Structure formats: C-alpha cells, structure tokens
Amino acid sequence: MAEETVKIPQATSKRLPLYYRFLQNFANSGKKRVSSSELSEAMKIDAATIRRDFSHFGALGRKGYGYDVDYLVSFFRKTLDQDEATDVALIGVGSLGHAFMKYNFHKNHNTRIVIAFDPKAPREGKVISDIPVYHPDMIEEKLTELGIDLVILTVPSRAAQQLTDRLAAVGVKGILNFTTIRLTVPPSIRVHTIDLSVELQSLIYFIKNDVKDSHL
C-alpha cells in the first residue's frame, strides 16, 4: 500500500519559512544544536507549538540533545524548495510596488522579482531598480515567455479581478494579493491575501481588549 501523505496544518505551514530563517541565523553564528526552548526564546513562539510543528515531519530531534542545526537547515531548505530558484512577477508599480522592487527579497537569494507591469510603462519596457517594467498589455506574452507561476498583485482594487482572470488564463499558480478584495480564482490557483488595513484594525482590536482585560 502506498504511503499516505501527511497533511500539514496551514498554521504550521506558514511558520516553516520562519523556522528556516531563524535556523539559518543559528547556523551562521556557528551553533551546532538548539533546543525547542532556545528556538522559542529567539522566535517568541511557544516551545510546545514548535515541538508540535516539528512532530508533523517525524523525528527531527533527540530527547536530551535537541535539534541538529545543520540538519534542520538542510531539511527545511528541501521542504521549502529553497534549492530551486523562484522567479516572481509584480503587477502594479505604485508606492508599495516600488518598495517590493527595491527590496526584492535580498535576504532570500532563491526568490526574486524578475519582471513588473504598470500602466505607465511603455510596451517596449523600461528599467526600474534593475527590473524590466512593461505595460500590462504585455502580461500574457512575458509571463508565458519567462514561465512565471507566482505573481504579486499591488494594483487598485477595481482592476484586480480582471487582471486575475488574465493570470488564470496563462496558468499562474499563485497570487500574493495586496488589494482589498477577495479574488475569485479556479481551484488551480492559490491566493494569499494581505489586507494591511484589516491587519491594523485587528491589531488595534487586540490591543484595546488586552488593555480592557487587564483592568478586570
């Protein structure tokens, strides 16, 4: 009987890049082994949560020893496909888009924005922050030419769904959505929406409720 694939909880999956980043920091500092308590202190995540997350992947550590840092770095690199470079397209070169282009994932050399699109750019393209920027008319041609599966969307909300439909038509697999609308996509596309205003309102709510609870 074929081995059943273990389904990793979404909350755990979202923490994997954080584990990889902090473990890289430990490795770069020359640390050879680390305990869940040390990871907890560095990451501000409960040690029990870390042990539970790691348990989904089998025996990653040994009782009384902890975790081998180099092994975990290698394990999470493979788990996150960090050995394979990921090219990303950006649609919308406003203030947020410019910030992404300037940053361009410098701390992660395996992920990079290689092309961008903006209505103010000419069809023949121009270069901003060493990245070619084209008019949106060129989206289908350029994404197909470069074989790009992942797109960051930082456009006005009114244009988001129409652009998403075009991305679906050329086989894009993932969209990081910074618009304020919930995109409708086929099952073949995964969308992660980051609404900064909602995140801020949520933070304000928790702060106020924390303050209120402290006086009870």
Side-chain angles (χ1 to χ4, degrees), residues 34-172:
V34 65
S35 67
S36 57
S37 297
E38 289 173 305
L39 268 175
S40 173
E41 183 177 350
M43 299 180 66
K44 310 305 178 189
I45 296 175
D46 184 70
T49 297
I50 294 173
R51 290 192 294 270
R52 185 169 58 250
D53 285 347
F54 284 12
S55 72
H56 293 295
F57 300 95
L60 295 182
R62 300 199 307 271
K63 189 173 182 179
Y65 177 87
Y67 301 99
D68 183 289
V69 172
D70 290 337
Y71 173 77
L72 284 184
V73 168
S74 176
F75 175 83
F76 283 114
R77 180 188 296 119
K78 292 177 181 177
T79 301
L80 293 165
D81 288 332
Q82 290 298 298
D83 290 326
E84 182 177 343
T86 301
D87 291 339
V88 180
L90 170 73
I91 303 180
V93 188
S95 299
L96 182 58
H98 270 290
F100 274 123
M101 293 174 71
K102 186 175 181 180
Y103 169 65
N104 203 6
F105 306 100
H106 289 308
K107 292 184 179 180
N108 183 348
H109 300 294
N110 292 316
T111 303
R112 58 178 183 162
I113 297 171
V114 297
I115 193 170
F117 301 92
D118 190 82
K120 295 181 180 178
R123 286 176 59 87
E124 63 272 17
K126 64 179 181 179
V127 177
I128 300 176
S129 299
D130 297 324
I131 299 170
V133 183
Y134 294 91
H135 191 276
D137 288 348
M138 304 298 290
I139 286 176
E140 286 83 357
E141 177 181 332
K142 293 297 181 180
L143 293 189
T144 301
E145 176 185 320
L146 296 173
I148 290 176
D149 293 327
L150 181 60
V151 173
I152 300 172
L153 205 57
T154 58
V155 299
S157 295
R158 64 181 180 276
Q161 186 60 57
Q162 183 181 20
L163 283 167
T164 297
D165 293 342
R166 292 172 61 189
L167 296 174
V170 295
V172 164

